Short mmCIF file of all heavy atoms in Angstrom, two decimals:
data_model
loop_
_atom_site.label_atom_id
_atom_site.label_comp_id
_atom_site.label_asym_id
_atom_site.label_seq_id
_atom_site.Cartn_x
_atom_site.Cartn_y
_atom_site.Cartn_z
N ASP T 9 -64.79 23.64 -87.48
CA ASP T 9 -64.91 22.28 -87.84
C ASP T 9 -63.77 21.44 -87.53
O ASP T 9 -62.68 21.67 -88.09
CB ASP T 9 -65.14 22.23 -89.42
CG ASP T 9 -65.31 20.83 -89.96
OD1 ASP T 9 -65.31 19.92 -89.10
OD2 ASP T 9 -65.48 20.66 -91.21
N PRO T 10 -63.86 20.52 -86.57
CA PRO T 10 -62.72 19.77 -86.08
C PRO T 10 -62.11 18.90 -87.17
O PRO T 10 -60.94 18.45 -86.97
CB PRO T 10 -63.30 18.95 -84.89
CG PRO T 10 -64.73 18.77 -85.21
CD PRO T 10 -65.12 20.11 -85.88
N ASP T 11 -62.86 18.57 -88.20
CA ASP T 11 -62.36 17.72 -89.23
C ASP T 11 -61.81 18.51 -90.46
O ASP T 11 -61.35 17.87 -91.43
CB ASP T 11 -63.48 16.81 -89.70
CG ASP T 11 -63.87 15.84 -88.60
OD1 ASP T 11 -63.06 15.33 -87.85
OD2 ASP T 11 -65.16 15.60 -88.47
N ALA T 12 -61.85 19.90 -90.41
CA ALA T 12 -61.36 20.60 -91.49
C ALA T 12 -59.86 20.64 -91.56
O ALA T 12 -59.09 20.62 -90.50
CB ALA T 12 -61.78 22.05 -91.35
N LEU T 13 -59.26 20.51 -92.74
CA LEU T 13 -57.80 20.54 -92.94
C LEU T 13 -57.34 22.01 -93.08
O LEU T 13 -57.79 22.72 -93.93
CB LEU T 13 -57.42 19.77 -94.18
CG LEU T 13 -55.92 19.62 -94.39
CD1 LEU T 13 -55.22 18.79 -93.29
CD2 LEU T 13 -55.67 19.02 -95.78
N PRO T 14 -56.57 22.53 -92.15
CA PRO T 14 -56.15 23.91 -92.26
C PRO T 14 -55.23 24.16 -93.45
O PRO T 14 -54.57 23.10 -93.94
CB PRO T 14 -55.34 24.12 -90.95
CG PRO T 14 -54.93 22.77 -90.44
CD PRO T 14 -55.98 21.75 -90.99
N THR T 15 -55.14 25.32 -93.94
CA THR T 15 -54.38 25.67 -95.08
C THR T 15 -53.03 26.34 -94.75
O THR T 15 -53.05 27.42 -93.94
CB THR T 15 -55.11 26.66 -96.02
OG1 THR T 15 -56.35 26.04 -96.42
CG2 THR T 15 -54.31 26.97 -97.27
N PRO T 16 -51.93 25.83 -95.10
CA PRO T 16 -50.65 26.45 -94.78
C PRO T 16 -50.56 27.92 -95.34
O PRO T 16 -51.12 28.24 -96.39
CB PRO T 16 -49.63 25.57 -95.45
CG PRO T 16 -50.24 24.28 -95.55
CD PRO T 16 -51.69 24.55 -95.86
N ALA T 17 -49.87 28.79 -94.60
CA ALA T 17 -49.81 30.16 -95.00
C ALA T 17 -48.66 30.43 -96.17
O ALA T 17 -48.68 31.45 -96.74
CB ALA T 17 -49.43 31.01 -93.84
N THR T 18 -47.88 29.40 -96.43
CA THR T 18 -46.80 29.60 -97.39
C THR T 18 -47.02 28.67 -98.59
O THR T 18 -47.62 27.64 -98.45
CB THR T 18 -45.44 29.33 -96.79
OG1 THR T 18 -45.37 27.91 -96.47
CG2 THR T 18 -45.18 30.14 -95.52
N GLN T 19 -46.35 29.14 -99.76
CA GLN T 19 -46.55 28.27 -100.93
C GLN T 19 -45.71 26.96 -100.73
O GLN T 19 -46.21 25.90 -101.12
CB GLN T 19 -46.00 29.00 -102.12
CG GLN T 19 -46.20 28.24 -103.48
CD GLN T 19 -47.64 27.91 -103.77
OE1 GLN T 19 -48.50 28.92 -103.77
NE2 GLN T 19 -47.97 26.72 -103.92
N ALA T 20 -44.55 27.04 -100.10
CA ALA T 20 -43.87 25.86 -99.81
C ALA T 20 -44.65 24.86 -98.96
O ALA T 20 -44.52 23.68 -99.14
CB ALA T 20 -42.47 26.16 -99.15
N GLY T 21 -45.27 25.32 -97.98
CA GLY T 21 -46.13 24.55 -97.10
C GLY T 21 -47.32 23.91 -97.80
O GLY T 21 -47.56 22.73 -97.67
N ARG T 22 -47.92 24.71 -98.73
CA ARG T 22 -49.04 24.20 -99.50
C ARG T 22 -48.50 23.07 -100.44
O ARG T 22 -49.20 22.08 -100.67
CB ARG T 22 -49.76 25.27 -100.25
CG ARG T 22 -50.46 26.26 -99.36
CD ARG T 22 -51.38 27.23 -100.10
NE ARG T 22 -50.66 28.19 -100.82
CZ ARG T 22 -50.25 29.38 -100.32
NH1 ARG T 22 -50.48 29.72 -99.12
NH2 ARG T 22 -49.64 30.20 -101.11
N ASP T 23 -47.41 23.33 -101.05
CA ASP T 23 -46.80 22.27 -101.89
C ASP T 23 -46.52 20.97 -101.14
O ASP T 23 -46.67 19.93 -101.66
CB ASP T 23 -45.51 22.80 -102.59
CG ASP T 23 -45.73 23.92 -103.57
OD1 ASP T 23 -46.91 24.08 -104.05
OD2 ASP T 23 -44.76 24.62 -103.92
N GLY T 24 -45.92 21.20 -99.94
CA GLY T 24 -45.62 20.04 -99.08
C GLY T 24 -46.97 19.20 -98.82
O GLY T 24 -46.94 18.05 -98.77
N LEU T 25 -47.98 19.99 -98.39
CA LEU T 25 -49.28 19.28 -98.06
C LEU T 25 -49.81 18.57 -99.31
O LEU T 25 -50.35 17.45 -99.16
CB LEU T 25 -50.26 20.33 -97.53
CG LEU T 25 -51.63 19.79 -97.11
CD1 LEU T 25 -51.50 18.77 -96.05
CD2 LEU T 25 -52.49 20.99 -96.66
N ASP T 26 -49.75 19.24 -100.45
CA ASP T 26 -50.29 18.62 -101.75
C ASP T 26 -49.53 17.28 -101.99
O ASP T 26 -50.20 16.27 -102.34
CB ASP T 26 -50.12 19.65 -102.87
CG ASP T 26 -51.18 20.74 -102.82
OD1 ASP T 26 -52.09 20.67 -101.97
OD2 ASP T 26 -50.89 21.72 -103.54
N ALA T 27 -48.21 17.34 -101.81
CA ALA T 27 -47.40 16.12 -102.12
C ALA T 27 -47.68 15.03 -101.16
O ALA T 27 -47.81 13.89 -101.57
CB ALA T 27 -45.94 16.45 -102.02
N LEU T 28 -47.93 15.41 -99.89
CA LEU T 28 -48.16 14.31 -98.90
C LEU T 28 -49.55 13.71 -99.24
O LEU T 28 -49.64 12.48 -99.07
CB LEU T 28 -48.25 15.16 -97.51
CG LEU T 28 -48.35 14.31 -96.27
CD1 LEU T 28 -47.68 15.05 -95.09
CD2 LEU T 28 -49.75 13.90 -95.87
N LEU T 29 -50.54 14.44 -99.60
CA LEU T 29 -51.89 13.94 -99.86
C LEU T 29 -51.94 13.17 -101.18
O LEU T 29 -52.65 12.25 -101.33
CB LEU T 29 -52.93 15.09 -99.85
CG LEU T 29 -53.25 15.69 -98.48
CD1 LEU T 29 -54.12 16.88 -98.63
CD2 LEU T 29 -53.81 14.63 -97.58
N ALA T 30 -51.02 13.62 -102.15
CA ALA T 30 -50.97 12.90 -103.45
C ALA T 30 -50.44 11.54 -103.36
O ALA T 30 -50.89 10.60 -104.06
CB ALA T 30 -50.25 13.80 -104.45
N ARG T 31 -49.36 11.35 -102.52
CA ARG T 31 -48.75 10.02 -102.36
C ARG T 31 -48.50 9.79 -100.87
O ARG T 31 -47.33 9.84 -100.47
CB ARG T 31 -47.45 10.01 -103.12
CG ARG T 31 -47.55 10.13 -104.65
CD ARG T 31 -46.32 9.85 -105.44
NE ARG T 31 -46.06 8.36 -105.37
CZ ARG T 31 -45.02 7.78 -105.85
NH1 ARG T 31 -43.96 8.53 -106.33
NH2 ARG T 31 -44.88 6.42 -105.78
N PRO T 32 -49.54 9.52 -100.15
CA PRO T 32 -49.42 9.31 -98.73
C PRO T 32 -48.47 8.12 -98.39
O PRO T 32 -47.73 8.11 -97.31
CB PRO T 32 -50.78 9.13 -98.22
CG PRO T 32 -51.59 8.76 -99.41
CD PRO T 32 -50.96 9.47 -100.49
N GLY T 33 -48.51 7.12 -99.19
CA GLY T 33 -47.65 5.91 -98.92
C GLY T 33 -46.13 6.17 -98.97
O GLY T 33 -45.34 5.32 -98.54
N LYS T 34 -45.72 7.37 -99.51
CA LYS T 34 -44.34 7.75 -99.50
C LYS T 34 -44.03 8.93 -98.58
O LYS T 34 -42.97 9.60 -98.70
CB LYS T 34 -43.96 8.14 -100.96
CG LYS T 34 -43.95 7.02 -101.96
CD LYS T 34 -42.80 6.04 -101.66
CE LYS T 34 -42.70 4.95 -102.68
NZ LYS T 34 -41.61 4.06 -102.39
N ALA T 35 -45.00 9.19 -97.74
CA ALA T 35 -44.87 10.40 -96.83
C ALA T 35 -44.29 9.96 -95.43
O ALA T 35 -44.67 8.94 -94.86
CB ALA T 35 -46.20 11.07 -96.66
N LEU T 36 -43.53 10.86 -94.88
CA LEU T 36 -43.02 10.71 -93.43
C LEU T 36 -43.65 11.74 -92.61
O LEU T 36 -43.56 12.99 -92.93
CB LEU T 36 -41.46 10.80 -93.44
CG LEU T 36 -40.83 10.96 -92.11
CD1 LEU T 36 -41.19 9.72 -91.18
CD2 LEU T 36 -39.28 11.17 -92.19
N ILE T 37 -44.22 11.44 -91.52
CA ILE T 37 -44.87 12.29 -90.52
C ILE T 37 -43.93 12.36 -89.39
O ILE T 37 -43.76 11.33 -88.63
CB ILE T 37 -46.26 11.88 -90.09
CG1 ILE T 37 -47.18 11.66 -91.37
CG2 ILE T 37 -46.84 12.89 -89.21
CD1 ILE T 37 -47.44 12.83 -92.16
N GLY T 38 -43.22 13.47 -89.11
CA GLY T 38 -42.30 13.53 -87.96
C GLY T 38 -42.95 14.46 -86.92
O GLY T 38 -43.48 15.53 -87.20
N LEU T 39 -42.92 14.03 -85.71
CA LEU T 39 -43.55 14.65 -84.60
C LEU T 39 -42.71 14.71 -83.31
O LEU T 39 -42.10 13.71 -82.86
CB LEU T 39 -44.86 14.02 -84.25
CG LEU T 39 -45.87 13.76 -85.29
CD1 LEU T 39 -46.89 12.68 -85.00
CD2 LEU T 39 -46.56 15.05 -85.61
N ASP T 40 -42.47 15.95 -82.77
CA ASP T 40 -41.97 15.97 -81.43
C ASP T 40 -42.97 15.43 -80.44
O ASP T 40 -44.08 15.27 -80.77
CB ASP T 40 -41.75 17.55 -81.17
CG ASP T 40 -41.40 17.90 -79.80
OD1 ASP T 40 -40.43 17.17 -79.20
OD2 ASP T 40 -41.95 18.84 -79.19
N PHE T 41 -42.45 15.16 -79.23
CA PHE T 41 -43.34 14.62 -78.19
C PHE T 41 -43.89 15.70 -77.27
O PHE T 41 -44.99 16.17 -77.29
CB PHE T 41 -42.71 13.51 -77.42
CG PHE T 41 -43.61 12.81 -76.47
CD1 PHE T 41 -44.60 12.01 -76.94
CD2 PHE T 41 -43.63 13.04 -75.10
CE1 PHE T 41 -45.58 11.38 -76.10
CE2 PHE T 41 -44.47 12.44 -74.26
CZ PHE T 41 -45.48 11.62 -74.74
N ASP T 42 -43.03 16.21 -76.41
CA ASP T 42 -43.46 17.20 -75.36
C ASP T 42 -43.76 18.48 -76.01
O ASP T 42 -43.02 19.10 -76.69
CB ASP T 42 -42.30 17.45 -74.32
CG ASP T 42 -42.05 16.20 -73.48
OD1 ASP T 42 -42.84 15.99 -72.51
OD2 ASP T 42 -41.06 15.43 -73.79
N GLY T 43 -45.03 18.98 -75.80
CA GLY T 43 -45.44 20.21 -76.40
C GLY T 43 -46.09 20.06 -77.72
O GLY T 43 -46.69 21.05 -78.23
N THR T 44 -46.00 18.84 -78.28
CA THR T 44 -46.57 18.66 -79.59
C THR T 44 -47.57 17.49 -79.53
O THR T 44 -48.76 17.73 -79.91
CB THR T 44 -45.43 18.25 -80.65
OG1 THR T 44 -44.48 19.36 -80.69
CG2 THR T 44 -46.01 18.05 -82.02
N LEU T 45 -47.24 16.35 -79.08
CA LEU T 45 -48.17 15.33 -78.86
C LEU T 45 -48.70 15.35 -77.38
O LEU T 45 -49.80 14.84 -77.10
CB LEU T 45 -47.61 13.92 -79.16
CG LEU T 45 -47.37 13.59 -80.54
CD1 LEU T 45 -46.67 12.22 -80.79
CD2 LEU T 45 -48.62 13.60 -81.36
N ALA T 46 -47.87 15.83 -76.52
CA ALA T 46 -48.26 15.95 -75.10
C ALA T 46 -48.13 17.34 -74.58
O ALA T 46 -47.19 18.06 -74.90
CB ALA T 46 -47.21 15.04 -74.25
#
Side-chain angles (χ1 to χ4, degrees):
D9 179 0
D11 296 319
L13 183 66
T15 302
T18 65
Q19 186 60 52
R22 292 191 289 273
D23 290 344
L25 179 59
D26 288 347
L28 191 153
L29 291 174
R31 297 194 70 187
K34 292 291 186 178
L36 169 59
I37 307 297
L39 303 162
D40 170 46
F41 186 74
D42 293 281
T44 301
L45 288 177

